[in-house]
Amino acid sequence: MNVLLLGSGGREHAIAWSIAKSPLLTELFIAPGNPGTAQHGKNLLIDTEDNSAIVTFCSERDINLLIVGPEAPLVNGVHDAILNDPRTKDITVIGPQKAGAMLEGSKDFSKQFMLRHGVPTAAYKTFEATTLNQGLAFLETLSPPYVLKCDGLAAGKGVLIEPTLEKAKSSLKNILEDGSFGAAGAKVVIEEFLDGTELSTFILTDGKDYLLLPTAKDYKCVGEGDTGLNTGGMGALSPAPVADEAFMRKVKEKVIARSLKGLQKEGIPYKGFLFIGLMRVGDEPKVIEYNVRMGDPETEAVLPLIESDLLAHFKALGEGKLSREEMIISSKCSTTVMMVSGGYPESYEKGKKIYGLNEIGPESMVFQAGTKEMNGEIFSSGGRVLTVTSVEETLSGALAKSYRNLNKLSFENSYYRKDIGYELANARED
Ligand SMILES: Nc1ncnc2c1ncn2[C@@H]1O[C@H](COP(=O)(O)OP(=O)(O)O)[C@@H](O)[C@H]1O
Ligand SMILES: [Mg+2]
């Protein structure tokens, strides 16, 4: 098969690494990719939001499978563009059409969808500029902390959790009246705060059948002990320790089955990954949000645990044979730790030479994210620069390997959290 993969992060490096192992792969292209993906295929200078350039490339190079890493091209309708062109309409696309991408593209849409189909989630109401006063009054009926979510895509920065009523009211005014989040904040979802343990579940689905991937827990805060600013993610581990069998049975029944049935009922086609962000409240799952693609850095932790051929699963999905597939998942644990540029998620410097990449033993994998290559050497080019993933019998074993190898890597001002997973690894061994 000839494959085109869209994206340029650690997630895409992990996907490229995973499918490069498949005997079904003929040629792999990545747009735009990074020096990590270039180890497994050919990087291309194509804008991931230029649908016509993508369609033309797919047709000229006989692409059989298009895998969309990030959400933006999906919300931008790349899958629809492929289907609408007679030259490319038979290509399998991993990632939903625009209609399905609304599950991530609009928080208000996804909350309404969950409500319509009985998918457990926090109680909520949605407000816009014309209903600001009702929104302020609604806040008064809730108790702290207050959860405010911009409706549209806001690069992971559109959710505010405010400790006091005063702050919640002023944030709501800022978003709706002053437009502090632009178009993404034209509507705001205000919802009940869920007190519990967060985890992520992922399925690969054709809209009817699905394969369940390993679960994950990610670490969003930049500082140790989950302090400081929110980031795109500082590390992840898989499986999530709170995802025991009884709990996952509930997730399948109350969340996954109802979500897929809802898509079918509404006539929304869906092919690709569905990432379901959950809060475990007591013993019950509640959906925090849907994402219409894999997470980053969860992908870097999850894919190394999949022992079956991911590309074969994609192929089966395209042929309508997903129900015959079985995803084989290792019983081991996987951890990934992100190395970032000092200062991230605020301002930081780029262009720092990365040392030690050739010293990482086979016990760990480096997935590159914000890197670039110059004259055969690798430099930082973003906030999140690379992740180190390890797989072991225990979480603490995997973490020890990851940290041993992170120690061999460096660039000026590099930083990583030293405490990923420790609270859980210790709890498990007790
Ligand atoms: N109702 C809620 N109760 C408690 N925490 C929440 C709630 N909704 C969101 N959060 C927290 O805020 C984070 C971001 O919210 P989410 O809906 O995932 O938005 P996004 O990923 O688009 O920024 C979640 O990962 C979770 O930690
Ligand atoms: Mg989220």
Side-chain angles (χ1 to χ4, degrees), residues 153-319:
L153 290 184
K157 297 191 172 67
V159 172
L160 304 174
I161 300 190
E162 301 292 12
T164 65
L165 183 60
E166 205 183 2
K167 279 201 165 158
K169 283 183 165 179
S170 100
S171 291
L172 185 66
K173 280 188 208 156
N174 283 341
I175 304 170
L176 290 179
E177 235 171 35
D178 311 335
S180 53
F181 281 85
K187 286 187 202 168
V188 175
V189 169
I190 300 179
E191 68 179 38
E192 165 202 11
F193 180 81
L194 298 172
D195 197 2
T197 311
E198 201 171 341
L199 71 151
S200 304
T201 53
F202 313 93
I203 60 171
L204 176 67
T205 183
D206 57 8
K208 189 165 126 289
D209 295 304
Y210 70 92
L211 300 174
L212 183 67
L213 280 76
T215 57
K217 169 181 166 75
D218 79 329
Y219 293 78
K220 285 251 162 51
C221 295
V222 71
E224 287 172 13
D226 291 326
T227 55
L229 291 173
N230 252 335
T231 68
M234 297 295 292
L237 41 91
S238 175
V242 295
D244 57 59
E245 225 180 290
F247 178 75
M248 288 310 289
R249 236 187 341 262
K250 287 185 184 168
V251 171
K252 286 180 198 165
E253 272 168 34
K254 298 183 180 179
V255 176
I256 299 174
R258 291 179 193 175
S259 298
L260 293 179
K261 217 179 232 167
L263 287 169
Q264 288 161 30
K265 254 190 179 162
E266 298 194 13
I268 300 175
Y270 197 105
K271 286 183 180 166
F273 290 107
L274 181 63
F275 165 152
I276 309 172
L278 294 174
M279 193 72 88
R280 177 171 171 160
V281 183
D283 285 332
E284 292 298 319
K286 297 234 178 185
V287 175
I288 293 177
E289 64 162 350
Y290 295 112
N291 290 146
V292 297
R293 34 85 196 170
M294 287 297 290
D296 193 345
E298 293 96 326
T299 306
E300 294 94 301
V302 163
L303 293 192
L305 291 177
I306 298 176
E307 291 175 345
S308 45
D309 183 338
L310 188 61
L311 189 54
H313 298 321
F314 291 155
K315 183 168 181 274
L317 189 158
E319 292 167 351

